[in-house]
Amino acid sequence: MMPAETLTHAEMTQEKAQAAAWFRQLRDEITAAFEGLEDSHTQGPFAELEPGRFEVSETRRAAADGSDAGGGLMSVMRGGRVFEKVGVNISEVYGTLGEKAQNAMAARKGLPGMKEDPRFWASGISLVAHMRNPHAPAVHMNTRMFWTPHAWWFGGGSDLNPCLEYAEDTAHFHATQQKYLDPHGTDIYPRLKEWADEYFYIPHRNRARGVGGIFMDDHNTGDWAADFALTQDIGRAFLPAYLPLVEKRRSQPFEATDKDTQLVHRGLYAEYNLVYDRGTKFGLETGHDANAVLMSLPPMAKWV
């Protein structure tokens, strides 16, 4: 983590605005692409349904004293032809970190002065898709920027969560991500892939929640523009990595046993997000809209 004095100006006003605008642009591209998938699904299971559309609502975060502390947009599609539930949220929040968040962040990131000046700003995009057809993989993606007076950093990634695995789908997902990351250094994709394998692991089940992807946190080389460019390419890789898999699998016939396998796998996903996911914990601890924070949970799941 690079110290704050390496920044050209401590508040990073221009950089914050640039990052928040990019996350919103990415959100617009993804929601348009997903609604396009709904419109083009005219044959196969669920094609008789009305194409799904995103319902968009504002979320607000209030500080402890009731003052405005930012918010965002929650975009959720439910009951579509292709997506049973998908959320694409963006947020820009700010204020002061509470004692629990201060302690957790100071311990994990080794930041000095957190208690003396606990201000923060954060913006990002978060996406989780749960599919109608059990052959089509669920997916998660997020990218974010976080700032305190002591440091700034980027984080995020995307990972594939099929309940019925296809080796060729996994290979395409990973190869596309590597294609977008290699221009930033050929060491980056292997490192972020390994990080995802470690992060998206469920210790009490002794297994990964999916087939992996890429993940990073605390990313700060001291070159804001370069770090932001890497974060953008993580976001840009998402649609070409994921859309072809959905287009290939959305019309595939399936059995009742396949749907049962999907519901059990969703239970695994819910366990991870409620027990281990840092973003879920941070969002709830800092008072963000609970519905937006828990958007990642599937509409239906089961446990054996």
Side-chain angles (χ1 to χ4, degrees):
M1 187 71 66
M2 301 297 292
E5 53 263 33
T6 63
L7 308 178
T8 55
H9 51 292
E11 294 293 338
M12 300 187 72
T13 304
Q14 180 177 343
E15 290 86 347
K16 292 176 184 176
Q18 189 176 351
W22 158 250
F23 297 135
R24 178 155 192 153
Q25 177 185 334
L26 182 59
R27 172 258 178 205
D28 292 346
E29 292 174 0
I30 292 171
T31 54
F34 281 6
E35 289 188 348
L37 284 175
E38 288 286 317
D39 290 337
S40 63
H41 184 57
T42 57
Q43 294 182 346
F46 311 110
E48 75 282 1
L49 300 176
E50 288 296 314
R53 288 293 180 265
F54 282 97
E55 297 178 3
V56 182
S57 58
E58 289 192 8
T59 61
R60 303 306 304 170
R61 176 181 174 272
D65 61 2
S67 61
D68 177 65
L73 288 178
M74 180 169 65
S75 305
V76 181
M77 181 195 302
R78 298 179 178 87
R81 294 171 171 173
V82 179
F83 298 94
E84 189 167 352
K85 178 187 176 186
V86 54
V88 189
N89 294 353
I90 54 171
S91 63
E92 183 177 2
V93 297
Y94 43 83
T96 58
L97 293 167
E99 184 175 358
K100 287 176 65 177
Q102 291 176 36
N103 293 337
M105 194 163 293
R108 189 165 64 86
K109 301 180 185 296
L111 295 178
M114 182 69 69
K115 292 187 179 298
E116 290 75 15
D117 191 347
R119 289 179 296 149
F120 83 97
W121 173 96
S123 182
I125 178 172
S126 180
L127 175 157
V128 177
H130 298 288
M131 313 307 291
R132 282 284 198 185
N133 194 315
H135 292 287
V139 74
H140 157 260
M141 186 277 291
N142 80 84
T143 59
R144 59 190 178 274
M145 177 186 167
F146 201 98
W147 171 92
T148 77
H150 322 287
W152 53 265
W153 57 90
F154 290 97
S158 59
D159 64 295
L160 198 66
N161 296 271
C163 65
L164 301 171
E165 296 183 16
Y166 292 92
E168 62 269 32
D169 291 5
T170 302
H172 170 83
F173 190 77
H174 282 275
T176 305
Q177 292 177 326
Q178 183 171 7
K179 174 184 174 182
Y180 277 79
L181 267 57
D182 274 356
H184 301 274
T186 55
D187 63 312
I188 293 179
Y189 167 76
R191 180 165 55 85
L192 269 56
K193 178 185 182 300
E194 182 179 2
W195 202 338
D197 290 341
E198 293 175 356
Y199 183 70
F200 297 114
Y201 187 80
I202 307 175
H204 67 268
R205 297 289 188 185
N206 296 313
R207 60 158 294 175
R209 79 173 186 185
V211 295
I214 52 176
F215 178 78
M216 70 178 186
D217 204 357
D218 308 338
H219 184 76
N220 179 337
T221 66
D223 185 337
W224 187 90
D227 294 347
F228 181 47
L230 171 61
T231 303
Q232 288 177 296
D233 275 340
I234 290 174
R236 291 188 184 106
F238 173 72
L239 285 176
Y242 183 60
L243 256 59
L245 308 183
V246 179
E247 290 171 338
K248 180 166 56 174
R249 303 296 176 191
R250 61 183 172 176
S251 299
Q252 194 166 332
F254 63 87
E255 305 292 336
T257 53
D258 297 327
K259 197 67 179 176
D260 191 68
T261 298
Q262 182 188 51
L263 294 177
V264 172
H265 189 81
R266 285 179 178 177
L268 188 73
Y269 195 94
E271 288 178 18
Y272 178 88
N273 279 38
L274 292 173
V275 177
Y276 300 110
D277 187 74
R278 292 176 188 165
T280 301
K281 293 178 180 179
F282 180 82
L284 295 176
E285 287 182 1
T286 55
H288 198 54
D289 186 288
N291 289 327
V293 174
L294 299 174
M295 170 272 296
S296 61
L297 296 179
M300 295 181 64
K302 68 178 292 185
W303 283 262
V304 294

